[in-house]
Amino acid sequence: GQQVMQIPQYQHVQEGEDFTTYCNSSTTLSNIQWYKQRPGGHPVFLIQLVKSGEVKKQKRLTFQFGEAKKNSSLHITATQTTDVGTYFCAGQSGGYQKVTFGTGTKLQVIP
Amino acid sequence: NAGVMQNPRHLVRRRGQEARLRCSPVKGHSHVYWYRQLPEEGLKFMVYLQKENIIDESGMPKERFSAEFPKEGPSILRIQQVVRGDSAAYFCASSPGSPSGAFFGQGTRLTVV
């Protein structure tokens, strides 16, 4: 079945440093979504990318969808302590739109 | 516009009892997903339902687990004869259809004692 892997699994950064997480799917995706889960909380939808090579920005967050629609990245510029949490990518594919979540990257920001 | 509502938020069951987890999707959303999450781990897909239909239950154990999304009322995830290994957070998410992000409920934390 479809697998979605993320690297790294964990990342500790000093506040102000940049952070990037990478997402790779074993199959071609129709779209990719990104979610953030704060400690003890539930996943919150951040954004969706649909087009090959698409790039979207939300303030300090930049999301990219690969040309082959099998990988994606999330880059955070100048991290803040409010960025702490686990970031999941999630891919949709197949005729019935099953959403498969990646393994997640846990970000810790050191003040 | 209320988000996804899950109840109960916390559920304690003794081994062998039944657990019923409820999920009311966002109004107008016809797609519901259930995920299970162990502490410090990712989201494991269990089942994907559309109104009155199970679309994909490949992530759900064939024994003791069942899910439904009736025409009226919430989606129910039912776990019969719970065991300690069923202890986890169970999240429900809904969406209006593809392509669209999913909105998650706050989860039900199930503890089996």
Side-chain angles (χ1 to χ4, degrees):
Chain A
Q2 179 188 34
Q3 291 188 343
V4 182
M5 303 297 293
Q6 279 181 256
I7 55 169
Q9 190 175 0
Y10 300 97
Q11 183 83 58
H12 290 81
V13 298
Q14 205 73 34
E15 189 172 16
E17 290 182 339
D18 293 356
F19 159 77
T20 305
T21 172
Y22 300 91
C23 175
N24 292 286
S25 170
S26 58
T27 59
T28 302
L29 301 169
S30 58
N31 65 75
I32 194 139
Q33 300 158 14
W34 285 92
Y35 295 79
K36 177 183 178 182
Q37 185 176 24
R38 287 204 164 96
H42 60 281
V44 174
F45 174 71
L46 295 176
I47 207 162
Q48 177 172 267
L49 304 168
V50 179
K51 298 176 185 174
S52 169
E54 190 171 12
V55 177
K56 285 189 177 180
K57 291 192 175 185
Q58 284 181 351
K59 296 182 181 177
R60 294 180 293 105
L61 278 60
T62 302
F63 304 85
Q64 285 190 305
F65 199 9
E67 294 289 342
K69 301 184 79 171
K70 293 183 73 174
N71 55 69
S72 180
S73 65
L74 158 59
H75 179 82
I76 302 178
T77 304
T79 54
Q80 300 174 0
T81 54
T82 52
D83 296 325
V84 164
T86 302
Y87 292 84
F88 292 98
C89 65
Q92 277 192 304
S93 63
Y96 50 75
Q97 309 146 26
K98 174 181 172 181
V99 178
T100 301
F101 275 77
T103 46
T105 296
K106 187 172 182 178
L107 172 64
Q108 188 61 255
V109 179
I110 305 161
Chain B
N1 186 16
V4 177
M5 304 299 291
Q6 286 189 251
N7 66 81
R9 292 284 308 277
H10 299 273
L11 182 61
V12 179
R13 283 286 178 266
R14 295 186 185 280
R15 280 179 294 170
Q17 289 185 319
E18 178 180 288
R20 277 180 164 250
L21 287 60
R22 293 175 184 77
C23 168
S24 296
V26 172
K27 190 175 180 182
H29 285 192
S30 58
H31 299 239
V32 166
Y33 304 83
W34 284 93
Y35 294 88
R36 172 185 150 123
Q37 187 176 43
L38 293 170
E40 302 298 316
E41 292 193 9
L43 293 151
K44 182 176 179 297
F45 168 80
M46 297 184 72
V47 62
Y48 165 39
L49 310 105
Q50 292 181 21
K51 277 290 185 183
E52 300 184 272
N53 292 307
I54 296 175
I55 306 302
D56 184 340
E57 56 182 349
S58 59
M60 202 157 65
K62 290 193 175 5
E63 294 181 359
R64 303 189 298 109
F65 285 74
S66 63
E68 62 176 10
F69 187 18
K71 188 176 179 182
E72 302 290 337
S75 176
I76 306 285
L77 178 66
R78 184 180 172 209
I79 310 173
Q80 294 178 291
Q81 299 175 332
V82 295
V83 300
R84 287 227 171 100
D86 296 332
S87 296
Y90 292 83
F91 289 99
C92 167
S94 76
S95 80
S98 183
S100 175
F103 293 87
F104 279 78
Q106 293 186 306
T108 293
R109 270 82 179 168
L110 172 66
T111 303
V112 179
V113 297

